[in-house]
Amino acid sequence: MPTPEVRNVDPALIARAADWVATAERVVALTGAGVSAESGVPTFRGAGGFWRGRDLMELATPAAFARDPELVWSFYNDRRAKLATVEPNPAHRALVEIERRVPHFTLATQNVDRLHQRAGSRRVLELHGAIDEVRCSDCGRTSNRAGETLPALPRCDACGGLLRPGVVWFGESLPTGVFEQAEAEARAADVVLVIGTSALVYPAASLARLGRRVVEVNPDATPLSSEVTLSLRGKAGEIVPQLVPRTP
Ligand code: BV8
Ligand code: ZN
């Protein structure tokens, strides 16, 4: 992999990445919390990475939920309430346009906020589940509770079991087949766009090392930055719209 050219959002590099997307048959976008940052959704490891002084790793685990389900539910209910007030941003909308213009496009997201789907993305692989889905800890029933205010300890209508957020916690396996599908798409991709992720969480981050050309979009350097083909140092909302193929 040639050494990446890192610039402060050099227009010539953006143009090169845009040309790669415009001439690609198969594109995969791997997104993280940074793609939703300009919608006002706090990222995990940036300034907003702590919730009431607690780290994500203390809350997004089965052990935390077993120990204090009410605390974990208040963490997720606070985030759900926040998500009810935000909108997709230009980066989400640009990815919808890229999906429309590229012959074979796949969006693999680590995010659980469903802002990609609200923007109109169709081929979305949710690697870490979705915050509006809930699952019964006892009978396993799942349901979509988008827009609802849930009680402090929501119970299953069918069996009375304790419901849990339908997200993948640390130490839990990703939904069967979803990662494998994303991995196969990334391996076959002409371009993998890695947008707004600190590339610290696995196995999702491993997708960013596949694909013929990898373009990172992030205002900060990440462990990936030294390995990608092109690292564009800037905000998703500013750069991703410039990667949309211009229809002739
Ligand atoms: C697994 C859902 C197999 C919940 C999340 C010990 C035991 C078991 C596993 C492990 C272990 N040790 C390590 C592991 C693996 C572990 C892992 O990777 N740990 C890391 C922390 C070291 N992974 C797992 O456990 C995974 N499962 O391995 O299963 C297994 C099973 C059993 C036993 C063994 C193995 C499951 C991981 C999924 C965890 N769930 N989310 C929830 O959301 O509450 S992960 C969480 O982090 C979010 O999903 C988030 O998306 C993800 C990654 O974070 P980012 O999206 O990158 O966000 P972050 O804040 O970090 O960064 C934001 C970036 O945006 C920054 O770079 C910033 O610069 C940039 N940015 C800011 N503004 C902008 C911007 N970019 C662009 N534009 C802007 N405007
Ligand atoms: Zn149940």
Side-chain angles (χ1 to χ4, degrees):
M1 192 81 85
T3 38
E5 299 166 17
V6 174
R7 295 277 191 290
N8 278 323
V9 205
D10 177 335
L13 294 178
I14 297 177
R16 186 181 310 167
D19 180 53
W20 290 346
V21 173
T23 53
E25 275 299 308
R26 306 178 74 92
V27 172
V28 167
L30 170 66
T31 62
V35 80
S36 299
E38 288 155 272
S39 296
V41 182
T43 60
F44 293 98
R45 295 170 185 84
F50 285 75
W51 176 80
R52 294 186 196 167
R54 292 168 182 276
D55 182 84
L56 181 74
M57 299 297 288
E58 273 182 59
L59 294 155
T61 68
F65 188 67
R67 189 171 51 247
D68 190 345
E70 210 152 340
L71 172 73
V72 173
W73 262 115
S74 59
F75 170 53
Y76 283 92
N77 279 331
D78 275 6
R79 289 168 65 190
R80 295 175 75 247
K82 171 76 183 164
L83 284 172
T85 68
V86 303
E87 294 296 327
N89 68 57
H92 296 108
R93 287 195 291 276
L95 286 165
V96 177
E97 290 311 310
I98 292 175
E99 178 175 5
R100 288 181 180 144
R101 288 167 166 78
V102 166
H104 190 96
F105 178 84
T106 302
L107 175 53
T109 188
Q110 299 172 86
N111 299 341
V112 297
D113 59 29
R114 288 201 161 154
L115 285 174
H116 285 303
Q117 291 92 330
R118 285 179 52 195
S121 287
R122 297 214 313 273
R123 268 178 62 77
V124 182
L125 297 174
E126 292 181 322
L127 299 171
H128 297 159
I131 202 166
D132 280 331
E133 297 288 328
V134 299
R135 185 168 73 245
C136 176
S137 307
D138 292 346
C139 71
R141 265 183 186 74
T142 60
S143 59
N144 183 323
R145 312 298 288 267
E148 286 182 49
T149 303
L150 295 175
L153 283 177
R155 292 272 166 194
C156 173
D157 294 339
C159 77
L162 182 57
L163 298 179
R164 57 158 286 173
V167 299
V168 179
W169 281 329
F170 288 100
E172 292 187 322
S173 302
L174 277 59
T176 314
V178 174
F179 176 74
E180 291 70 18
Q181 195 182 345
E183 189 179 37
E185 293 291 355
R187 283 195 194 289
D190 300 306
V191 181
V192 174
L193 302 173
V194 182
I195 305 167
T197 184
S198 58
L200 296 173
V201 173
Y202 283 82
S206 61
L207 298 172
R209 290 177 168 83
L210 307 173
R212 200 156 59 86
R213 289 172 166 140
V214 182
V215 178
E216 179 183 46
V217 177
N218 196 318
D220 298 340
T222 71
L224 267 187
S225 302
S226 59
E227 299 178 40
V228 294
T229 322
L230 206 51
S231 188
L232 301 174
R233 278 286 175 287
K235 293 183 172 182
E238 291 162 13
I239 292 188
V240 184
Q242 299 181 66
L243 303 182
V244 177
R246 303 278 162 250
T247 32

